[in-house]
Amino acid sequence: MIHSNKHPDISVIIPIFNEEKNIPVLYKRLKDSVRKISENYEFIFINDGSKDLSIFELVKLTEQDSQVRYINFSRNFGHQIAVTAGLNHCNGEAVVIIDGDLQDPPELIPELYTKFKEGYEVVYAKRKKREGESFFKKATAKVFYRVLKKITTIDIPLDTGDFRLIDKKVVHYLRLMPEQNKFIRGQIAWLGFNQTHVLYNRDSRTEGKTGYSISKMFNFAMDGITGFSDKPLSFVTKLGFLISFFSFLAIVVAIYSHFILEKTITGWTSLIIAVLFIGGIQLISIGIIGAYISRMNRNLLKRPLYIIESSNLKKQPHDD
């Protein structure tokens, strides 16, 4: 049991979205794994607007184990916001973030903790293999993380997700980051500190299906890019100058041909293609600029990141 005058040695944050069938097995594996480290632990489950009976499974766990906490959102706010809620309410000396779909093995936690005790403030789990995922998802993820690494000034580790262990000092600084569009692995990389990794094979899902649709994956990628790089804006500016230069050359050629060579350049098709091309470039450029403006607008509105409908936290639940 946790002593009231002592913080847990380890907190585990688990975002949950429609994981009703996985929760009992997940809890057992987590408990078996964490008790190899310490009996003084806490599990914080965040129910992110699940449509199944996940919340009832979580409430049952709290009745069985006083070291289990749950936060129940009023609706789905997204994976990164759910993790943020866990970070806002955890108390452990070390904090583990792990998804609730059992693709990331809880049995790896003692190995992460061993590295932590060696003096590392961030120990992330690096994937060797990704079982049960489509070629499209693997390929797009691989491309995204390598592009992100190229266009940002921070060193975001390749082939890693949010499955990691972080020191309480890292949690403290994450709480000081107010942005609404969360990209937690990028924030942790930006903070620095002494980091290392542990290799593992990611398992396929045993129950349910992923909550990450293509649109959510795209939005997540945009949060990562707009939050940690301004190179897309620089690219748009350079592209604008390049197209303007070639347009100017085209004007010079047209004038020369008309007045000097006395040959007027005609061609409805070429004109329309040029207009459509430049119009497309303009729309893409406006979209990129709009993404940055949208990000700033959300931060200026200062709405709560999430709304807690119910919880068994010892302190009165509040909105952060």
Side-chain angles (χ1 to χ4, degrees):
M1 298 293 290
I2 296 178
H3 299 290
S4 60
N5 61 346
K6 184 181 179 183
H7 289 301
D9 293 322
I10 186 167
S11 299
V12 183
I13 295 170
I14 314 104
I16 296 292
F17 181 69
N18 295 339
E19 302 291 354
E20 169 193 352
K21 295 180 180 180
N22 285 328
I23 289 172
V25 178
L26 171 64
Y27 166 71
K28 184 180 184 307
R29 288 176 62 181
L30 280 171
K31 188 171 182 178
D32 290 343
S33 178
V34 171
R35 289 178 73 179
K36 294 176 182 178
I37 298 169
S38 173
E39 293 288 339
N40 187 16
Y41 64 86
E42 67 173 356
F43 295 156
I44 303 178
F45 291 88
I46 303 92
N47 183 44
D48 186 22
S50 297
K51 302 300 182 184
D52 61 3
L53 299 178
S54 291
I55 184 59
F56 297 102
E57 291 293 334
L58 296 180
V59 171
K60 278 198 287 185
L61 290 183
T62 64
E63 295 170 351
Q64 301 168 15
D65 189 342
S66 62
Q67 291 167 263
V68 174
R69 319 272 183 258
Y70 78 88
I71 297 171
N72 184 36
F73 282 174
S74 61
R75 65 170 177 83
N76 179 258
F77 285 90
H79 178 272
Q80 297 292 285
I81 302 300
V83 173
T84 300
L87 292 170
N88 287 341
H89 292 90
C90 65
N91 298 292
E93 298 296 317
V95 177
V96 172
I97 303 168
I98 186 171
D99 287 345
D101 54 14
L102 288 174
Q103 288 188 267
D104 297 326
E107 292 76 17
L108 193 68
I109 293 176
E111 192 172 347
L112 298 177
Y113 193 80
T114 298
K115 291 289 185 182
F116 166 71
K117 297 303 286 184
E118 291 175 4
Y120 293 99
E121 285 100 352
V122 177
V123 187
Y124 52 88
K126 186 171 184 177
R127 297 179 288 251
K128 290 191 293 184
K129 294 181 180 179
R130 301 177 63 152
E131 302 293 341
E133 293 183 350
S134 66
F135 172 79
F136 175 77
K137 185 171 182 179
K138 290 179 182 178
T140 52
K142 187 173 183 178
V143 169
F144 165 66
Y145 286 115
R146 280 151 181 80
V147 169
L148 187 62
K149 190 176 181 69
K150 287 285 186 183
I151 67 175
T152 58
T153 56
I154 59 174
D155 185 18
I156 300 177
L158 297 175
D159 302 319
T160 62
D162 289 318
F163 184 25
R164 62 190 62 206
L165 182 150
I166 56 178
D167 186 275
K168 65 178 181 180
K169 71 175 73 170
V170 179
V171 175
H172 168 73
Y173 286 108
L174 287 173
R175 289 172 179 170
L176 298 179
M177 294 185 175
E179 56 258 46
Q180 297 273 323
N181 301 73
K182 296 291 185 180
F183 187 68
I184 292 171
R185 66 197 70 170
Q187 291 177 323
I188 293 174
W190 181 87
L191 285 172
F193 292 111
N194 196 14
Q195 305 192 12
T196 189
H197 70 271
V198 171
L199 292 172
Y200 80 108
N201 293 324
R202 195 163 200 247
D203 298 327
S204 58
R205 264 184 170 269
T206 55
E207 299 286 350
K209 60 180 182 179
T210 179
Y212 258 95
S213 61
I214 293 177
S215 62
K216 285 185 177 180
M217 289 170 61
F218 177 79
N219 291 334
F220 181 67
M222 288 300 296
D223 286 340
I225 292 170
T226 57
F228 294 93
S229 176
D230 60 0
K231 287 189 178 180
L233 290 174
S234 176
F235 171 76
V236 166
T237 302
K238 292 175 182 177
L239 187 62
F241 277 112
L242 184 64
I243 292 176
S244 297
F245 174 73
F246 281 110
S247 298
F248 176 75
L249 287 182
I251 292 172
V252 171
V253 170
I255 292 173
Y256 179 82
S257 177
H258 180 75
F259 289 103
I260 305 301
L261 302 179
E262 297 183 350
K263 292 181 180 179
T264 302
I265 299 176
T266 60
W268 183 88
T269 302
S270 59
L271 177 63
I272 292 300
I273 290 174
V275 170
L276 290 176
F277 173 73
I278 295 173
I281 293 297
Q282 289 176 328
L283 289 175
I284 293 171
S285 302
I286 292 170
I288 292 173
I289 296 169
Y292 283 90
I293 294 174
S294 174
R295 186 181 183 90
M296 290 187 291
N297 181 60
R298 290 190 65 181
N299 288 321
L300 288 172
L301 290 174
K302 294 184 179 180
R303 291 173 180 164
L305 275 178
Y306 52 85
I307 304 296
I308 298 177
E309 181 177 330
S310 59
S311 175
N312 73 330
L313 296 170
K314 291 184 179 180
K315 294 181 179 180
Q316 183 66 27
H318 58 86
D319 302 333
D320 291 273

